[in-house]
């Protein structure tokens, strides 16, 4: 039974396996019907994950592929300031995929989503030579509470909502098991969890709006790296930034790998930490910060001049915003 | 320049090529923000199209892949009674894909969408060994105007909005060019267009709501075949149907192929005609019918007994709804 393949089951059989992870009635109509609150706007975001590009059997179980797919999309909603309403799942996969793999994928999706009462409201399953998971998430937001990348203003401080570099370190641990020796089991688990089960920071949005319902906040998530997020916000807002390198919190567990690994680089460019990078008034940032856990910090401020300066402990690096990484180049390999 | 490959351009370069087909500002934030009218509900639908499963270079240009992807999703919105608000495009493709192919794909998407003032509001592009196009479309509908599959009642008549079998015939013409000889150029073009550039019947929804704003209508589209649609509506509604075979309009052009091809089967099971199959009160159906073009007809009625009878010219076929095709089985080959 556990060795059953997708091609043995057919599409209808597979849909029956997936049904338990979706609200009743979702599977059956041409589309899903969803309520949206009066005066709210709809926010939509899409991510595509491809086997052997974004995940691999070596580092990611089917459950974790599901979890990460859901987390990445919910993180994009958080980055827009929105509350999630639902997701759709477009799944293509070879007929020789095991049915158990598909069930675990949906378990992972469902487990991440249910933390935020977010249903899978629709989808499509089809045959392909390559497993591909295409998620579209949608949420609702009051127009004045939209968080965009283009509103950062001189005087705003830059707040990050947690540690960076942990997801990249977790990946490294999975790829190079000998690194484990520097860490105790709890520390290993922390880094691997950061990679396999990242948490979208929807909690930050709820806290922010409790403190300041109408405050204008600019920002995005750090899914493509902290450095990338700062560069993109500056470019979209037509401003620059000063980053105090010593203000970026270092996770003690990550520090234990720093003699063997480029942990400083992972903090800036590792990506997939799914924290939020927010630009907002200093006082509001302080208030929000007192509500957030360790790893959250104010790491710099926005300035008029369109250059990003990183004040390090020994050196100062300064670059024009147009020179900075345009983010992960999916086709550059 | 025309031989430029996706991998030469990188993700950012590719996004610049796509920008002309999206509203200003769409590419840049973590998600798209969209207005939805007060009191309306959101409708969401997803389709995944995979190279060599749903399309092939032999029968479908990049433009047509785009057109058909958009049309299939807009047809699902029409099938729900919704007006389109936008789509997202999740595209995965090999680095050796030509940039021209990607541009043509977006031209096709855009050309189909702009007939209904529907924007591409977001997406994701990533690397894969197989070209995969995952579209999510969303629309808005007043709660009382939702068209579901589960409300068909005894006494409703069954209305189809156009000819069936033409898309399947168009595909056959592309695969077997010798069939062309039975047809003149205009007739060939008609069938091939039915296959390559199907029209979502959003116009029918507009006409229906002009005639009867609040009428309860049940139905779906015939994307998986006319027979499949009737069977699904009956199953979801817990009813049966009587179909008058002679009432199903035969397109004169399709008739010219009937000595060489199983055209009767194509009409019932060909699929991808993207017409609507609606169950509604007889008087409303008559009124709507007078507003629709040739190929539209009332072809039967709903009955209590949960069996579907097809009254043919020579024989009567009758089957239990549970026996009827469960639709195209993507994994059955």
């Amino acid at each position: 039974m556990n060795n059953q393949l997708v091609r043995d089951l057919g599409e209808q059989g597979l849909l029956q396996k997936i049904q338990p992870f979706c609200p009743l009635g979702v599977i059956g109509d041409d589309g899903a019907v969803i309520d949206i609150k009066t005066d709210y706007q709809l926010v939509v975001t899409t991510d595509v994950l491809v086997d052997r590009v974004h995940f691999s059997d070596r580092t990611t179980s089917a459950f974790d592929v599901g979890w990460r797919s859901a987390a990445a999309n919910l993180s994009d909603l958080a980055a827009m300031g929105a509350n999630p309403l639902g997701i759709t799942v477009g799944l293509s996969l070879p007929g020789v995929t095991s049915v158990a793999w598909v069930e675990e994928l949906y378990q992972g999706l469902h487990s991440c989503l249910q933390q935020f009462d977010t249903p899978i409201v629709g989808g499509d399953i089809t045959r392909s030579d390559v497993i591909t998971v295409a998620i579209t998430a949608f949420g609702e937001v009051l127009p004045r509470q939209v968080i965009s990348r283009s509103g950062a203003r001189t005087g705003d401080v830059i707040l990050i909502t947690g540690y960076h570099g942990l997801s990249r370190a977790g990946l490294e641990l999975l790829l190079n098991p000998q690194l484990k020796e520097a860490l105790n089991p709890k520390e290993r688990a922390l880094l691997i969890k950061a990679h396999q089960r990242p948490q979208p920071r929807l909690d930050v949005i709820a806290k922010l709006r409790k403190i300041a319902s109408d405050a204008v906040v600019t920002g995005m998530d750090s899914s493509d790296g902290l450095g990338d997020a700062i560069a993109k916000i500056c470019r979209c807002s037509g401003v620059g930034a000063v980053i105090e390198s010593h203000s970026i919190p270092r996770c003690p567990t990550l520090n234990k790998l720093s003699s063997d690994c480029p942990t400083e680089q992972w903090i800036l460019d590792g990506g997939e930490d799914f924290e939020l990078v927010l630009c907002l008034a200093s006082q509001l940032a302080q208030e929000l910060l007192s509500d957030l856990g360790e790893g959250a910090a104010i790491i710099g401020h926005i300035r008029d001049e369109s250059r990003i300066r990183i004040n390090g402990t020994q050196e100062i690096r300064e670059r024009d915003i147009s020179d900075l990484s345009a983010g992960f180049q999916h086709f550059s390999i």
Side-chain angles (χ1 to χ4, degrees), chain A residues 31-105:
Chain A
V33 182
I34 297 148
D35 287 321
I36 185 161
K37 285 195 213 93
T38 303
D39 296 334
Y40 279 67
Q41 284 178 301
L42 175 67
V43 175
V44 182
T45 176
T46 293
D47 260 312
V48 180
L49 290 152
V50 179
D51 189 17
R52 293 189 298 272
V53 176
H54 300 94
F55 57 89
S56 94
D57 279 348
R58 218 172 134 199
T59 56
T60 320
S61 68
F63 185 98
D64 292 334
V65 172
W67 180 289
R68 282 166 53 91
S69 307
N73 279 278
L74 293 183
S75 179
D76 280 332
L77 292 182
M80 298 293 295
N83 297 313
L85 291 168
I87 73 164
T88 60
V89 182
L91 179 62
S92 29
L93 73 181
V96 294
T97 310
S98 79
V99 172
W101 193 95
V102 180
E103 286 186 288
E104 280 168 33
L105 174 81

Side-chain angles (χ1 to χ4, degrees), chain A residues 139 159 266:
Chain A
L159 179 148
W266 289 352

